[in-house]
Amino acid sequence: MDKFLPFALPEIGEEEIAEVVDSLRSGWLTTGPKTQRFEAEFARFIAPGDPLTHALAVNSATAGLHLVLEAIGIGPGDEVITTPYTFTATAGVIRHLGADPVFVDIDPHTLNIDPAGIERAITRRTKAILPVHIAGLSCEMKAILSIARRHGLRVVEDAAHALPTTHGGRLIGSLDSDATVYSFYATKTITTGEGGMIVTRDAEIAERCRVMRLHGINRVVFDRYTSTAPAWHYDVVAPGFKYNMTDLAAAIGIQQLKKAWDFQQRRQIMAGRYDDELRGLPLRLPARPHAGDIHSWHLYIIRLTAEAAISRDDFIHAMAARGIGCSVHFIPLHFHPYWRERYQLTPQSYPLASRAYGCAISLPLYTRMTDDDQRKVIRVVRETLRDAATPAPVRMQASGVAGGGVAGE
Ligand SMILES: *Cc1c(COP(=O)(O)O)cnc(C)c1O
């Protein structure tokens, strides 16, 4: 039997390995010169030639989102509008600050938060909007930023999936929101193992995040060892967090960032091939970006249509039995016990997110997949759908898989 194709794998080359070894030999392991270089290069990547763009490296996107919401003053009694169709970190950080997420249902075409729903959800307690660019497809940022301006709200983008993604021809991270946060978790479009980046053009947000990411100390450790002020001196100005990135992680990030456009190109070609080869099946294919815009293609999310003769769970089971790892993005937050019970939510609270979840499957899409790997995924998707639609006795003969894990029987 063929090797199992996992759902996701990072792409780490000799360049990353050499850069990490260089850091190990240098003796500087935690936040230092590599982190500074990664930040400078990231800022240049997002906004070339703009000296006002700050990039702040942190040890996860979750940490970055927490820091930004703290920096803009989110606290108990405040509401932050976001989507239930996301990873729990997006909303968890709102609760860390004692504030409440207010979930708004999705646009079923894009799986992203519906701007019209945002407008309806605004109350006197609303302080910010936290859109998530699901799968790497930009939210309707023009509409969201215009709503925010009209109501005096802050906008913080969860761009964990969106490097590189554009909206209206501009890279996410260079729009007029207050801050944007990226993830470098092992499965994301570029990785540092664990890590994240805050990008903002707001000097006050940048300064607050800089202080709060490292214990509330008002000067970074690196400066303590390079500036001419007494090396032992520092001021603690707040009970800060321990959210700094290590130079070992930054070393990986420096080399990954150089490949970000190549990775995007490869992902786009693979997404195009899925589109071409899966058309005509009982599947709803992912929404395309607006003309001229770039999709990072972090995820390729298909949805089974009513014509498919198989459930989502059985489909994933059948794919796995034939050697293909799939996943689901996302289990909406209102299906998780904490969120469901805390805010008394039911599947009917967000019917469009619930419906999308019920039939959503993420197919493997990553740069380490070969063309043969992808052809196998396509073939197995076709077989799985065809076998499900074929009466059982015939199916066994046709596929030669007697009792072989074809679900839905
Ligand atoms: C991965 C992810 C995060 C969290 O990223 P970490 O770097 O693991 O903290 C946040 N939001 C979304 C939508 C994600 O997919």
Side-chain angles (χ1 to χ4, degrees), residues 85-96:
Y85 206 81
T86 185
F87 183 58
T88 189
T90 310
V93 293
I94 299 168
R95 293 294 304 131
H96 291 177

Side-chain angles (χ1 to χ4, degrees), residues 59-63 65 86-87 89-90 132 134 158 160-161 182-185 188 194-196 298 330:
N59 59 11
S60 71
T62 309
L65 289 166
T86 185
F87 183 58
T90 310
V132 184
I134 290 297
D158 180 336
H161 302 178
Y182 299 88
S183 172
F184 310 131
Y185 182 69
K188 301 284 158 76
E194 298 278 3
H298 166 53
F330 284 90

Side-chain angles (χ1 to χ4, degrees), residues 267-285:
R267 285 174 177 276
Q268 182 170 301
I269 288 167
M270 295 177 78
R273 186 177 299 138
Y274 273 145
D275 282 354
D276 292 343
E277 300 288 327
L278 299 177
R279 230 185 297 281
L281 297 170
L283 298 174
R284 182 171 185 173
L285 301 179

Side-chain angles (χ1 to χ4, degrees), residues 309-325:
I310 189 168
S311 73
R312 188 273 310 279
D313 293 4
D314 289 345
F315 181 92
I316 291 181
H317 186 76
M319 292 289 289
R322 295 169 187 209
I324 307 290

Side-chain angles (χ1 to χ4, degrees), residues 208-227:
R208 180 69 179 177
C209 291
R210 198 186 306 282
V211 167
M212 293 304 282
R213 78 175 159 179
L214 195 68
H215 303 298
I217 290 173
N218 76 342
R219 295 167 60 204
V220 296
V221 171
F222 182 61
D223 282 348
R224 284 209 277 132
Y225 292 93
T226 56
S227 76

